[in-house]
Amino acid sequence: MSRLVMKFGGTSVATPDRIKRAAKRVAREVANGHDVIVIVSAMAGKTNELVGWVDQISPMYDAREYDAVVSSGENVTAGLMALTLQEMDIPARSWQGWQVPLKTNGAHGAARIEDIPTKNLDEKFGEGMKVAVIAGFQGISPEGRITTLGRGGSDTTAVAFAAAFEAVRCDIYTDVDGVYTTDPRITAKARKLDRIAFEEMLELASLGAKVLQTRSVELAMRYGVKLRVLSSFEEYDETAGTLVCAEDEIMESNVVNGVAYSRDEAKMTLLGVEDRPGIAAAIFGPLSEAGVNVDMIVQNISEGGKTDMTFSCPVSEVARAKQAIEAAHEAGNFEYGELVVDDNVSKVSVVGIGMRSHAGVAAKMFKALQNEGINIRVITTSEIKISVLIDRKYMELAVQALHDAFELEKAR
Amino acid sequence: MSRLVMKFGGTSVATPDRIKRAAKRVAREVANGHDVIVIVSAMAGKTNELVGWVDQISPMYDAREYDAVVSSGENVTAGLMALTLQEMDIPARSWQGWQVPLKTNGAHGAARIEDIPTKNLDEKFGEGMKVAVIAGFQGISPEGRITTLGRGGSDTTAVAFAAAFEAVRCDIYTDVDGVYTTDPRITAKARKLDRIAFEEMLELASLGAKVLQTRSVELAMRYGVKLRVLSSFEEYDETAGTLVCAEDEIMESNVVNGVAYSRDEAKMTLLGVEDRPGIAAAIFGPLSEAGVNVDMIVQNISEGGKTDMTFSCPVSEVARAKQAIEAAHEAGNFEYGELVVDDNVSKVSVVGIGMRSHAGVAAKMFKALQNEGINIRVITTSEIKISVLIDRKYMELAVQALHDAFELEKAR
């Protein structure tokens, strides 16, 4: 019997009525001949309520107790979903993380999945159960305590089950209807992609297209799990949503498949840094320790033993970054002339696996920005992505211009 | 190290602030040198919210899924209580039913406790843990599924832990400050009892003084667990609350210790019933099957092969009782002349273990009622209780008169 994993996020199970709508989608897949594993999040708002209580009681909480508390929202939804399916005469039961068991390490609050034995569920499927409803986001530690997987952990739960049970696909039901070429709020020409490669999805996700948790996409890529993102709130058809899959399952890809952006970036430049081995470590070590999420790093050529070092980070972390650099400087770790901060920039990127075999993408990108009179402050490139920092006021214009230039409104 | 069990009901843990107040009471007992086992209910209102969702989805629900859903409220409180205690620098951790494990039978929704192995908690107490916080109301079935213990199950959980861990006492914190000689709303002379025997508590509880679940008192009696009922909302001192204990721990008891009542009773009389062996079974079998809670039963002497049979039940069950009797009559199970219903009566009872060795309690009771001009409709007696049915309009007057007659306002 073919297995299918279906995951429903918090807004898709926010009320008993919505749980019923989700259950109807499950029933359709059972009728299609699948044994289904359903992963559910907590009802929208419930996890925040629980986290709020914990914060109110204990700002420096014991992560083991935090996990015991916040995991309870998913348990409620799992039971309610199983009851809803039973009402529709579908043999179903719920499983909490420890019952499966979904085994994790002991890193409470951000645990990693170590094993999902298939024995217990297989046995029940063998006895005629058609749907196993799993409380997402949670597992059990080697010490027998409840763990949670961290933000977006239910996506990761879903992919891990799809891998363990060799599911034909993992459908992630959410409140958007798929992955778009760019943010539809910025250009109405944004087009839903039918398919996207894992690598592209990873670049788009980490760049701000927050549809799937990065970790779940990495896991899907490693185990070859076909992921489909689709909406709980729209009519279903076979081509609904976006399939995230291996590159070789995508024919005739466009060279560029998406334009991503990150609005609130800051550019920090250390002028006149001494150019010696170990200087990068001396600068970025303290930044990392201070919890600054450094993104782009650019080092210019050296002149007279001095160089300029530029990096970007979120605007919200600028104060912390300055403090860390000045402290390291005062401690005598390194010398520099001046620290120049521009907290008025945005990042815009074009992403596509086709870039690997096509030259001229960078040139086309720079030309498009030039045509709009947009000055580029910093450039970085990877195998399937080119990113630039530009003044924030041009961000929307840049996204629109690049979407037009690469003709992303046209299906490949 | 002496063990103490403390149980906090839903209103005592309704908010993070109230959990903090409860935790302070726990801290005091830790400072007194106890290792403490705390049993918590769900925050007030939470279980009803969960039950409401289940009812909305599935009126004829699968009790296994019901249990998985409704048990989650206690898990939340257990974690929050453990965090609160940790904030007060008290080594504490939470345990869900399956983690203890609290083993029950498989009767979901009304499971019976079968075993509480002490190994896991003992180990942690041995390592320096001072407080084990237990999610009340729940356990694990032989099949590894979550069970709940039924209404008031957290009281039962508390007593079972006190028995298993040989606790010096089981303190039940609730929203009343103890057990009273009668309902203080009916007479201001009602007095809080310092001590009450298990047997008396059982009669008072089942008669409507709803402080402790009957089952928990039975369990405490069987295992000799000293139970103390006291308020979460009043200043603590050594004599706070009421101690429910074995008879031999109560010196100089009054003959009567309490006046209980049940307002909405109905009296049903079958006139002219054929008097033959098996007639009682023929009448009360169908009533039991129809779910009628028959309370008092009185059969008058026989005359000419006919007798009168009177019984009482809650007013709300009169229609069902009539229907059951008429159906059984039509089916030819028994003959009777007439069915007379009086749904305008109340039950008033005096309770006291001292009755066993004192004559004259009944006479004193009847005299007190006569002095007020109250007619007695039905009388039943047990070893430690005398109950009468009277017209409902006299109920308050009867309670007041009996409280005065037995001088219950005076401490024994």
Side-chain angles (χ1 to χ4, degrees), chain A residues 14 16-17 19-20 43 46 49-50 53-54 56-66 68-69 71-73 75-84 86-87 92-96 98-99 140 143-146, chain B residues 14 16-17 19-20 43 46 49-50 53-54 56-66 68-69 71-73 75-84 86-87 92-96 98-99 140 143-146:
Chain A
D17 277 344
I19 291 173
K20 203 168 194 172
M43 294 160 99
K46 282 294 159 190
E49 180 182 57
L50 297 169
W53 285 331
V54 170
Q56 187 179 341
I57 284 171
S58 181
M60 301 287 287
Y61 53 74
D62 177 346
R64 294 165 299 188
E65 298 299 344
Y66 171 92
V69 171
S71 60
S72 68
N75 293 345
V76 172
T77 327
L80 295 179
M81 175 62 86
L83 286 167
T84 308
Q86 289 176 358
E87 275 294 301
R93 72 157 273 197
S94 71
W95 305 78
Q96 300 185 4
W98 60 273
Q99 290 175 315
I140 182 168
E143 289 74 36
R145 301 203 61 176
I146 295 168
Chain B
D17 277 346
I19 291 173
K20 203 169 195 172
M43 294 160 99
K46 283 293 158 190
E49 180 182 59
L50 296 169
W53 285 331
V54 170
Q56 189 179 337
I57 284 170
S58 182
M60 301 287 286
Y61 51 75
D62 177 347
R64 294 165 299 187
E65 299 299 344
Y66 172 91
V69 171
S71 60
S72 69
N75 293 344
V76 171
T77 327
L80 295 179
M81 175 61 87
L83 287 168
T84 307
Q86 289 177 357
E87 275 294 300
R93 72 158 273 195
S94 71
W95 305 77
Q96 301 185 3
W98 59 273
Q99 290 175 315
I140 182 169
E143 289 75 36
R145 302 204 62 176
I146 294 168

Side-chain angles (χ1 to χ4, degrees), chain B residues 218-264:
Chain B
E218 284 168 357
L219 200 62
M221 185 161 72
R222 189 175 332 139
Y223 290 99
V225 172
K226 283 188 205 173
L227 263 179
R228 191 165 59 155
V229 178
L230 65 178
S231 167
S232 281
F233 302 101
E234 310 222 336
E235 281 303 303
Y236 178 85
D237 68 55
E238 290 301 317
T239 65
T242 299
L243 191 72
V244 190
C245 57
E247 202 174 319
D248 56 18
E249 295 184 72
I250 301 175
M251 312 262 289
E252 299 288 340
S253 179
N254 286 340
V255 176
V256 166
N257 266 323
V259 180
Y261 66 89
S262 175
R263 184 182 305 269
D264 295 319

Side-chain angles (χ1 to χ4, degrees), chain B residues 40-333:
Chain B
V40 289
S41 297
M43 294 160 99
K46 283 293 158 190
T47 301
N48 286 345
E49 180 182 59
L50 296 169
V51 171
W53 285 331
V54 170
D55 284 343
Q56 189 179 337
I57 284 170
S58 182
M60 301 287 286
Y61 51 75
D62 177 347
R64 294 165 299 187
E65 299 299 344
Y66 172 91
D67 282 357
V69 171
V70 302
S71 60
S72 69
E74 279 73 13
N75 293 344
V76 171
T77 327
L80 295 179
M81 175 61 87
L83 287 168
T84 307
L85 289 162
Q86 289 177 357
E87 275 294 300
M88 298 161 74
D89 289 327
I90 296 171
R93 72 158 273 195
S94 71
W95 305 77
Q96 301 185 3
W98 59 273
Q99 290 175 315
V100 172
L102 188 153
K103 298 182 183 176
T104 72
N105 65 8
H108 285 272
R112 297 198 76 83
I113 299 172
E114 300 201 325
D115 189 24
I116 305 183
T118 58
K119 184 175 162 291
N120 286 339
L121 266 68
D122 278 343
E123 209 170 283
K124 292 292 171 189
F125 278 125
E127 292 169 9
M129 175 179 73
K130 300 307 294 175
V131 183
V133 185
I134 313 290
F137 179 60
Q138 59 180 260
I140 182 169
S141 76
E143 289 75 36
R145 302 204 62 176
I146 294 168
T147 52
T148 64
L149 308 181
R151 204 162 176 74
S154 290
D155 287 347
T156 307
T157 305
V159 173
F161 269 86
F165 287 86
E166 299 177 352
V168 293
R169 207 175 58 239
C170 178
D171 286 349
I172 307 282
Y173 283 88
T174 178
D175 48 6
V176 299
D177 66 349
V179 181
Y180 277 72
T181 50
T182 195
D183 187 340
R185 288 170 302 184
I186 292 187
T187 167
K189 293 183 189 168
R191 176 177 56 83
K192 182 174 78 67
L193 292 162
D194 292 332
R195 294 187 172 217
I196 186 171
F198 291 124
E199 294 86 342
E200 293 172 324
M201 188 65 206
L202 283 171
E203 294 291 2
L204 290 173
S206 61
L207 288 172
K210 288 169 189 126
V211 179
L212 280 174
Q213 197 204 16
T214 304
R215 209 167 126 203
S216 66
V217 179
E218 284 168 357
L219 200 62
M221 185 161 72
R222 189 175 332 139
Y223 290 99
V225 172
K226 283 188 205 173
L227 263 179
R228 191 165 59 155
V229 178
L230 65 178
S231 167
S232 281
F233 302 101
E234 310 222 336
E235 281 303 303
Y236 178 85
D237 68 55
E238 290 301 317
T239 65
T242 299
L243 191 72
V244 190
C245 57
E247 202 174 319
D248 56 18
E249 295 184 72
I250 301 175
M251 312 262 289
E252 299 288 340
S253 179
N254 286 340
V255 176
V256 166
N257 266 323
V259 180
Y261 66 89
S262 175
R263 184 182 305 269
D264 295 319
E265 295 291 310
K267 174 170 74 80
M268 304 185 79
T269 304
L270 287 161
L271 296 173
V273 179
E274 44 171 346
D275 191 9
R276 59 165 168 85
I279 186 69
I283 294 171
F284 294 105
L287 286 169
S288 163
E289 277 160 32
V292 176
N293 290 287
V294 172
D295 179 20
M296 304 161 91
I297 299 177
V298 180
Q299 183 180 348
N300 281 2
I301 53 160
S302 187
E303 208 171 330
K306 300 277 181 188
T307 186
D308 302 334
M309 188 81 82
T310 298
F311 64 91
S312 69
C313 69
V315 167
S316 57
E317 295 173 6
V318 165
R320 231 186 303 159
K322 275 176 83 167
Q323 206 169 29
I325 285 171
E326 281 158 12
H329 181 231
E330 277 163 34
N333 294 8

Side-chain angles (χ1 to χ4, degrees), chain A residues 160-175:
Chain A
F161 269 87
F165 287 86
E166 299 176 353
V168 293
R169 207 173 58 238
C170 178
D171 285 348
I172 307 282
Y173 283 87
T174 179
D175 48 8

Side-chain angles (χ1 to χ4, degrees), chain A residues 18-231:
Chain A
R18 289 204 182 164
I19 291 173
K20 203 168 194 172
R21 283 165 64 177
K24 283 185 187 158
R25 294 178 188 266
V26 176
R28 188 188 52 231
E29 298 295 357
V30 170
N32 285 344
H34 294 295
D35 279 353
V36 181
I37 298 172
V38 174
I39 315 291
V40 288
S41 299
M43 294 160 99
K46 282 294 159 190
T47 301
N48 287 344
E49 180 182 57
L50 297 169
V51 171
W53 285 331
V54 170
D55 285 343
Q56 187 179 341
I57 284 171
S58 181
M60 301 287 287
Y61 53 74
D62 177 346
R64 294 165 299 188
E65 298 299 344
Y66 171 92
D67 282 357
V69 171
V70 303
S71 60
S72 68
E74 279 74 11
N75 293 345
V76 172
T77 327
L80 295 179
M81 175 62 86
L83 286 167
T84 308
L85 289 162
Q86 289 176 358
E87 275 294 301
M88 297 160 74
D89 290 325
I90 296 170
R93 72 157 273 197
S94 71
W95 305 78
Q96 300 185 4
W98 60 273
Q99 290 175 315
V100 172
L102 187 153
K103 298 183 182 177
T104 72
N105 65 8
H108 284 273
R112 296 198 78 83
I113 298 171
E114 298 202 325
D115 189 25
I116 304 181
T118 57
K119 183 176 161 294
N120 286 339
L121 267 66
D122 278 343
E123 210 170 283
K124 292 292 170 189
F125 277 124
E127 292 169 9
M129 175 179 73
K130 299 308 293 175
V131 183
V133 185
I134 313 289
F137 178 60
Q138 60 181 260
I140 182 168
S141 75
E143 289 74 36
R145 301 203 61 176
I146 295 168
T147 51
T148 64
L149 308 180
R151 205 162 175 75
S154 290
D155 287 347
T156 308
T157 305
V159 174
F161 269 87
F165 287 86
E166 299 176 353
V168 293
R169 207 173 58 238
C170 178
D171 285 348
I172 307 282
Y173 283 87
T174 179
D175 48 8
V176 299
D177 67 348
V179 181
Y180 278 73
T181 51
T182 195
D183 185 342
R185 288 170 302 183
I186 292 186
T187 168
K189 292 183 189 167
R191 175 175 57 83
K192 182 172 78 67
L193 293 162
D194 291 332
R195 294 186 173 218
I196 187 171
F198 291 124
E199 294 87 342
E200 292 172 324
M201 189 64 205
L202 282 172
E203 294 290 2
L204 290 172
S206 60
L207 288 172
K210 288 169 187 125
V211 179
L212 279 174
Q213 197 203 18
T214 305
R215 210 166 125 204
S216 67
V217 179
E218 284 168 357
L219 199 62
M221 183 162 72
R222 188 173 335 138
Y223 290 99
V225 171
K226 282 188 207 175
L227 264 178
R228 192 166 59 155
V229 177
L230 66 178
S231 168

